[in-house]
Amino acid sequence: KIDVEDLDIDERVVREWKYLRKIYIKDEDHLLFASFIIVLVGLIVLFTLFVTSRVPEVQKIVVANRDSAPTKVLTSEQTATSSASTISIKNVTQNAAPDKMSPLPDNYTMLIMDISITNNSAGMQTFIPSTQLFARSRDGRQFPFQISMYATNPVKFQELKPGESQSGQISFPVPKDLSDPLLYVDLGWDNYVPVVFSPLK
């Protein structure tokens, strides 16, 4: 057994340090780990608050989606405007004449109209008529965009710059007995919900 009093100063310091490490280092590791967890949780909370503050406000004009009936429907005389887009329709017609480009069943007619869409957002936006436009009945039946020989100026797939517009005709085969078809414009720009028109009103 070594008497501490017999050791020189350097040896005493080394022995004391080893003793302190043995007693306290475990608790110190726990404290450091707990501090790391607290900082990590704080960063996650700050990041979440930042992201949620950047989410655009839900569009006020329409509250609708593909699986539910809209609570607000615009007429063909109205224009839908938001920070993402401006959308209007006009010259709505129905044509049940034989269509060489899109043959129709006897009980169907082609719903044709002009549409204008402007990109109001700050970034480039993609406009895809075949996926972002569709007709729908109030009971949930959907009728996809379809080219018609009577729509002589069809809208096209286009990348729209900020402030740029796209205009042209769109067409949808719908049942003749569907008295109030709905037009859904589901652009998805800036996470806005679809704009819904009742073209025949």
Side-chain angles (χ1 to χ4, degrees):
K1 182 177 179 179
I2 300 175
D3 192 341
V4 175
E5 298 298 329
D6 296 334
L7 298 175
D8 61 26
I9 296 298
D10 290 341
E11 291 176 327
R12 288 185 187 183
V13 170
V14 171
R15 286 176 64 88
E16 289 294 332
W17 169 243
K18 289 181 178 179
Y19 177 73
L20 290 174
R21 283 191 62 187
K22 183 177 180 181
I23 295 175
Y24 295 112
I25 197 65
K26 193 170 184 180
D27 290 336
E28 183 179 337
D29 286 344
H30 289 166
L31 182 60
L32 288 174
F33 181 73
S35 299
F36 172 76
I37 293 298
I38 291 171
V39 171
L40 181 61
V41 170
L43 290 174
I44 292 172
V45 170
L46 289 175
F47 178 75
T48 302
L49 291 174
F50 173 76
V51 170
T52 55
S53 69
R54 303 282 294 180
V55 174
E57 184 181 2
V58 175
Q59 188 176 15
K60 297 295 192 304
I61 297 174
V62 182
V63 179
N65 57 51
R66 290 179 181 264
D67 301 318
S68 64
T71 58
K72 174 71 173 178
V73 177
L74 307 179
T75 70
S76 59
E77 301 296 323
Q78 295 176 298
T79 298
T81 301
S82 71
S83 62
S85 63
T86 297
I87 306 168
S88 62
I89 61 172
K90 62 180 181 179
N91 300 327
V92 182
T93 61
Q94 290 180 291
N95 193 329
D99 193 327
K100 294 181 181 179
M101 295 184 71
S102 298
L104 299 175
D106 291 339
N107 62 332
Y108 270 64
T109 184
M110 191 67 77
L111 182 66
I112 302 172
M113 68 195 81
D114 294 338
I115 190 169
S116 176
I117 296 177
T118 301
N119 176 11
N120 295 338
S121 75
M124 185 80 75
Q125 299 288 3
T126 303
F127 176 55
I128 311 173
S130 60
T131 60
Q132 295 174 328
L133 305 175
F134 63 96
R136 184 178 184 272
S137 66
R138 288 188 178 268
D139 62 5
R141 290 175 292 161
Q142 294 187 27
F143 311 99
F145 176 88
Q146 190 167 312
I147 296 174
S148 170
M149 64 180 289
Y150 299 105
T152 56
N153 180 34
V155 293
K156 302 175 180 65
F157 169 92
Q158 185 176 342
E159 295 286 342
L160 296 177
K161 300 175 183 177
E164 191 173 9
S165 298
Q166 158 79 291
S167 297
Q169 292 176 297
I170 55 177
S171 48
F172 308 89
V174 298
K176 290 180 179 178
D177 61 0
L178 184 59
S179 60
D180 186 23
L182 301 175
L183 168 66
Y184 276 62
V185 185
D186 191 6
L187 299 175
W189 299 355
D190 287 355
N191 295 326
Y192 273 68
V193 297
V195 171
V196 185
F197 290 92
S198 179
L200 299 180
K201 292 185 178 180

